[in-house]
């Protein structure tokens, strides 16, 4: 996958918007590693939650020019930057300033991407709409992520795939178990140590039998 051009961004803008870092590139690398699988799915709709500079969703849009791309961010300045990154790279992107994907009640996405604020902090820190929202993850660094997990079954297509970046402090096994209760199977696509942080990208997808069981138990 190609790395989007970012020359249009003035460095000072990263005082307000998350600057692409190792985690951003790890998510892109995970998508690249899973490219054949993604191509076989021929996704119609892709959503990136918390798109920041827009580098990840733009890379996705460049690789899948027929997919309709959406992104959200709680930080308004990040929404503008995502939009301009997409435009500079000839990707059409609909960007919405919102909490997670909460307004997409009747939309179903084939692919959902999330590199969340994952740093362990006090709960109070993870309620902002500015640059702090880029990293402050509250208890276990999971407060924002856990809210997103609850939303996934409502906004993902039946055959959809969710890619989530985590660090070891987020206790990935717990996340995997929460998603298993929603009927999702999982696979760790990529793992990398960056300084003192172990980052990984987990892919969640519907295991046919489990998913059907989960649906029928809701009836
Ligand atoms: C770690 S940064 C990742 C940015 C970008 N996706 C990347 O990989 O470079 C997390 C992003 O999530 C956004 N974010 C945090 N809480 C959010 C929420 N409740 N709803 C939407 N976006 C949120 C932040 O503003 C930030 O842009």
């Amino acid at each position: 996958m190609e790395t989007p051009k970012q020359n249009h961004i003035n460095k000072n803008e990263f005082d307000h918007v998350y600057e692409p870092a190792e985690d951003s590139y790890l998510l892109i690398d995970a998508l690249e590693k899973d490219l054949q699988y993604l191509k076989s799915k021929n996704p119609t709709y892709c959503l990136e939650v918390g798109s920041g500079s827009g580098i990840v969703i733009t890379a996705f849009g460049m690789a899948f020019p027929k997919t309709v791309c959406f992104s959200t961010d709680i930080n308004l300045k990040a929404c503008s930057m995502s939009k301009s990154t997409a435009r500079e790279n000839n990707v059409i992107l609909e960007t919405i300033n919102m909490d997670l994907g909460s307004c997409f009640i009747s939309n179903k996405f084939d692919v959902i991407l999330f590199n969340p604020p994952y740093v362990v902090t006090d709960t109070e820190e993870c309620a902002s709409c500015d640059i702090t929202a880029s990293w402050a993850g509250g208890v276990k660094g999971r407060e924002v992520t856990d809210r997103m997990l609850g939303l996934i079954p409502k906004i993902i297509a039946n055959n959809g795939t969710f890619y989530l970046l985590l660090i070891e402090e987020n206790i990935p096994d717990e996340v995997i178990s929460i998603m298993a209760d929603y009927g999702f199977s999982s696979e760790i696509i990529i793992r990398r140590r960056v300084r003192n942080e172990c980052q990984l990208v987990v892919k969640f997808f519907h295991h046919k039998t489990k998913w059907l069981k989960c649906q029928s138990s809701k009836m």
Side-chain angles (χ1 to χ4, degrees):
M1 279 167 80
E2 255 184 272
T3 306
K5 288 179 277 178
Q6 297 163 75
N7 326 349
H8 63 291
I9 304 170
N10 182 321
K11 269 272 173 193
N12 300 335
E13 294 178 67
F14 290 126
D15 291 345
H16 308 285
V17 176
Y18 188 74
E19 181 166 3
E22 287 90 346
D23 48 354
S24 322
Y25 295 109
L26 191 68
L27 185 50
I28 294 175
D29 288 350
L31 298 174
E32 166 117 57
K33 227 177 148 189
D34 226 21
L35 207 54
Q36 285 320 314
Y37 166 88
L38 282 166
K39 280 188 176 159
S40 75
K41 295 279 172 183
N42 195 17
T44 308
Y45 297 108
C46 175
L47 167 69
E48 184 183 12
V49 172
S51 57
S53 67
I55 190 166
V56 180
I57 188 68
T58 300
F60 187 95
M62 287 159 75
F64 291 89
K66 290 189 182 150
T67 305
V68 182
C69 293
F70 293 83
S71 73
T72 70
D73 207 292
I74 195 93
N75 174 349
L76 184 60
K77 290 193 165 93
C79 293
S80 314
M81 194 183 282
S82 289
K83 188 92 186 162
S84 63
T85 300
R87 195 174 39 236
E88 287 296 315
N89 290 277
N90 301 314
V91 168
I92 298 170
L93 175 68
E94 199 60 57
T95 307
I96 306 112
N97 181 214
M98 72 162 96
D99 180 35
L100 303 175
S102 48
C103 297
F104 292 121
I105 293 163
S106 56
N107 301 60
K108 297 284 178 198
F109 297 96
D110 303 290
V111 179
I112 301 178
L113 314 170
F114 194 26
N115 175 11
Y118 55 67
V119 177
V120 178
T121 64
D122 289 337
T123 295
E124 299 74 61
E125 276 188 270
C126 70
S128 92
C129 298
D130 57 21
I131 190 72
T132 314
S134 300
W135 48 269
V139 176
K140 299 180 194 170
R142 280 249 308 277
E143 292 195 35
V144 181
T145 299
D146 283 355
R147 286 200 297 116
M148 186 62 206
L149 301 184
L151 197 61
I152 288 291
K154 299 182 185 130
I155 63 168
I156 200 162
N158 277 348
N159 208 8
T161 312
F162 172 42
Y163 294 87
L164 175 67
L165 188 135
L166 294 168
I167 58 169
E168 287 300 341
E169 286 80 353
N170 301 148
I171 321 178
D173 283 349
E174 278 186 13
V175 175
I176 287 169
S177 149
I178 293 169
M179 292 304 281
D181 288 345
Y182 291 135
F184 287 86
S185 296
S186 58
E187 183 187 337
I188 295 173
I189 300 288
I190 200 166
R191 194 190 285 269
R192 197 173 287 163
R193 179 159 284 283
V194 181
R195 290 176 287 281
N196 59 349
E197 206 169 80
C198 179
Q199 303 174 345
L200 57 147
V201 176
V202 192
K203 161 183 164 179
F204 296 98
F205 51 99
H206 285 134
H207 182 285
K208 263 208 179 115
T209 337
K210 268 199 218 164
W211 169 245
L212 288 173
K213 236 192 225 166
C214 198
Q215 292 304 300
S216 59
S217 70
K218 282 186 205 154
M219 291 165 86

